Amino acid sequence: MTRTKKGVKLIHLLVAQRFGKNRHLHIQYQPACYMSSKSTASPAACPDIQPLSVLEEMKMPFSRALIGNFFQDQPRLGNQFLEDSILQSYLRRHLPPVVLKEASQDLGRFGQRIVDELDTLGRECELSPPHLEHYDAWGRRVDRIITCPAWKKMKEVSAEEGLVAAAYERKFSSWSRLIQIVKLYLYTPSSGYFSCPLAMTDGAAKVIESLGRPDALQDAFRNLTSRDPKRFWTSGQWMTERKGGSDVAYGTETVARAQADGTYKLYGYKWFTSATDSDMTLTLGRVEDAQGQIIPGTKGLSLFYLEVRNAKGQLNGIEVQRLKDKLGTKQVPTAELLLDGVKALRISPEGRGVASISNMLTITRIHNTVAAASAMRRVINLAREYASKRFVFGSLIKDHPLHMQTMARMEVKARGAFFLLMETARLLGLEETNMATEQDQHLLRLLTPIAKLYTGKQAVAVISEGLECFGGQGYMEDTGLPAILRDAQVLTIWEGTTNILSLDVLRSVMKSQGQVLSAFFASAQEKLEASSTIPTLSKSTSRLLQALENLKDFTQKAGMRGNGFMELAARDFAYSLAKIYIGCLFVDHAAWAGATESDVYCAERWSEQDLCPVHTAESSGCYNTDAVSMDRQLVYENSPLLKGKL
């Protein structure tokens, strides 16, 4: 047989193998021309395959895999300011017209910058987390935290956009703080969690301002609130030590030794330091007296300011032991630090450290609420966009009533979180411009921990539900969606867990001798009176009034039961305050002349739940002595720890 005939025979054999019948696993494979990159035809019998085309295929070193011609369209991020109806209506209702016009133009522009630039940078921060370089090539200890270019760019953007500065320039008087919070609300889900150092930067600026901006801190304040990227500083927050985070009175072991020049040197070990690549930080320590003695407890703690690096760019007596390996917020450098003679400046009166950081906690807890509310909004907006593209069971999922019902329930929760955030920001703006009434001040003190604890828990639940809206794609890391849930879990932990914040709510009640509760009841009553005359809101208002009465009844009973009783009821009490006040904000907005049918519907849906769970639980005996004993027995049943130890 000639070489030519052998070649033709080989070609026919290849054709048979490529397009003939394949009995393997009893599956018949048909020619699949419709799957090629140039064809979108439906599956059908292919025309006769010419041997030459097979030879051409054989010449290709790599061929496109035949994987089908359907690809699901992904959800697209739109301008989050222009697409947020409740944000638009809230600003129209509350802002003066001149302020509204200028702020809306800036927010619309910023919303588009998020789409065009920042969301991609945020994703790069997620995909390129920081890492620690202990030594340089020549063996020198450098402890260099290396972050990606996108993280550095976010710092520049934060300065350019005035994400901290806007609150302190007071361009719009008391509305400046609210407008800053709105801008952060748009930015945070796309920030690659650069919003975390911004929270602490804002908190540090607030502390320095509250201390009267002393001369020694003037440069620091200007840097923290600068719009110049070359000058802008971020701040860390170094409070947590090995013994614990929230209980700083017991857990803080760092000691401060006075120096001849009036500064101090700090010695200690910080177990968890956020945004460790920042320029400066605030931290707590115990001042040693001349005999080397310290005062234990809260009374021994003072607040210190320090710069992370000296003028030569070297670490200021700091050794970075390791970066933390966290569930989420992997974009943020978080480290364990050894403080070995750190040069610092005491900025609080001696023993007044905890009192001096209270303003920082107010700010960082509000930022936590921003992150929670904005994450809920983002996952819902992506899910509703996806619902208009995903076709299943004969229609788009937006046309399946059950799916819309699920998303509507998510939307109600997200709007409730938004209203609580805006109210807290509004009150803070009034306080910062000396325009707050006594009632406003008490309400701000109460709502700040409530907003943080309640929205943090909401966010985890709503975002988890949101991932279900994408089916299996919601579980795939390369979509970026799982990161939203992982990052949200920190919101229930950072700046105090739910139980710790619930106890802080009780502390605010006791410390104010009940005045914060009086302010709460007065404000809620005012809002409900405005809606009580509107027929479409009568049912919602009636339910909220009843819940308010139940809460009053509970507080009167609790006053005769002692501190132990209230501590056990603290979480349910805080939830009741949150649910009732959010409901009041819903009906108050729905009573506005510019409100929509959806606003009324939201108020109705919100008020259908148990608005006062603390009253319900107390009526069921959840806080009595037997319940305390049974709770412990239930948790430790069959555990060896129960016998003789508890």
Side-chain angles (χ1 to χ4, degrees), residues 311-570:
K312 296 180 179 179
Q314 299 167 331
L315 285 172
N316 172 20
I318 299 165
E319 282 192 2
V320 184
Q321 301 302 302
R322 63 169 176 163
L323 293 183
K324 293 293 199 178
D325 187 8
K326 300 167 291 181
L327 169 68
T329 65
K330 294 179 181 292
Q331 315 93 314
V332 184
T334 309
E336 290 177 34
L337 302 179
L338 174 67
L339 309 186
D340 186 15
V342 174
K343 185 177 181 180
L345 182 68
R346 179 169 59 82
I347 60 174
S348 75
E350 193 169 326
R352 294 287 295 167
V354 173
S356 298
I357 63 169
S358 61
N359 284 304
M360 170 177 272
L361 295 179
T362 296
I363 297 298
T364 53
R365 287 171 178 175
I366 291 175
H367 275 258
N368 202 96
T369 308
V370 171
S374 64
M376 286 187 267
R377 170 55 52 214
R378 176 60 59 86
V379 80
I380 290 171
N381 282 4
L382 290 173
R384 75 179 186 180
E385 215 271 337
Y386 186 68
S388 68
K389 294 180 174 181
R390 179 65 173 160
F391 189 89
V392 294
F393 301 116
S395 61
L396 294 168
I397 56 176
K398 73 178 181 64
D399 297 323
H400 289 280
L402 179 59
H403 187 72
M404 286 296 96
Q405 179 194 71
T406 302
M407 287 202 64
R409 289 173 177 173
M410 293 163 58
E411 179 69 28
V412 171
K413 292 176 183 177
R415 290 191 181 200
F418 169 81
F419 279 131
L420 190 55
L421 169 63
M422 289 297 103
E423 178 70 355
T424 310
R426 184 185 70 83
L427 292 169
L428 178 60
L430 291 172
E431 183 194 60
E432 291 179 322
T433 51
N434 299 315
M435 298 169 66
T437 64
E438 187 177 358
Q439 178 176 305
D440 292 334
Q441 292 172 20
H442 287 311
L443 199 55
L444 175 63
R445 173 65 184 93
L446 183 67
L447 290 184
T448 300
I450 287 173
K452 189 277 180 189
L453 73 88
Y454 192 72
T455 60
K457 297 296 278 191
Q458 275 187 309
V460 175
V462 169
I463 294 166
S464 178
E465 189 75 68
L467 297 196
E468 287 191 44
C469 294
F470 300 91
Q473 288 299 93
Y475 199 66
M476 299 297 111
E477 283 286 356
D478 54 0
T479 65
L481 295 167
I484 305 176
L485 181 59
R486 285 191 284 102
D487 289 346
Q489 188 61 67
V490 78
L491 302 174
T492 64
I493 297 171
W494 190 59
E495 295 300 355
T497 62
T498 308
N499 283 350
I500 292 297
L501 268 295
S502 298
L503 295 175
D504 188 57
V505 170
L506 293 188
R507 209 159 26 246
S508 72
V509 173
M510 291 185 286
K511 197 169 183 179
S512 69
Q513 298 181 323
Q515 291 184 78
V516 295
L517 267 187
S518 298
F520 175 90
F521 285 122
S523 177
Q525 198 74 43
E526 289 169 12
K527 289 173 170 45
L528 294 177
E529 285 175 3
S531 64
S532 61
T533 58
I534 301 174
T536 54
L537 293 172
S538 61
K539 188 181 293 186
S540 303
T541 303
S542 176
R543 288 170 175 163
L544 285 160
L545 283 168
Q546 183 59 58
L548 202 61
E549 286 303 311
N550 290 343
L551 185 62
K552 288 178 181 177
D553 180 59
F554 171 82
T555 56
Q556 289 171 358
K557 290 180 181 178
M560 299 179 287
R561 299 284 292 273
N563 292 339
F565 174 81
M566 272 308 296
E567 181 175 328
L568 190 59

Side-chain angles (χ1 to χ4, degrees), residues 163-203:
L163 296 180
V164 175
Y168 297 90
E169 294 165 345
R170 311 265 154 77
K171 178 180 180 181
F172 301 113
S173 186
S174 68
W175 297 111
S176 297
R177 176 60 78 173
L178 185 137
I179 292 169
Q180 178 228 17
I181 293 296
V182 169
K183 206 163 185 179
L184 287 166
Y185 174 77
L186 298 175
Y187 171 69
T188 297
S190 294
S191 70
Y193 248 80
F194 198 82
S195 54
C196 177
L198 291 183
M200 292 173 289
T201 302
D202 198 351

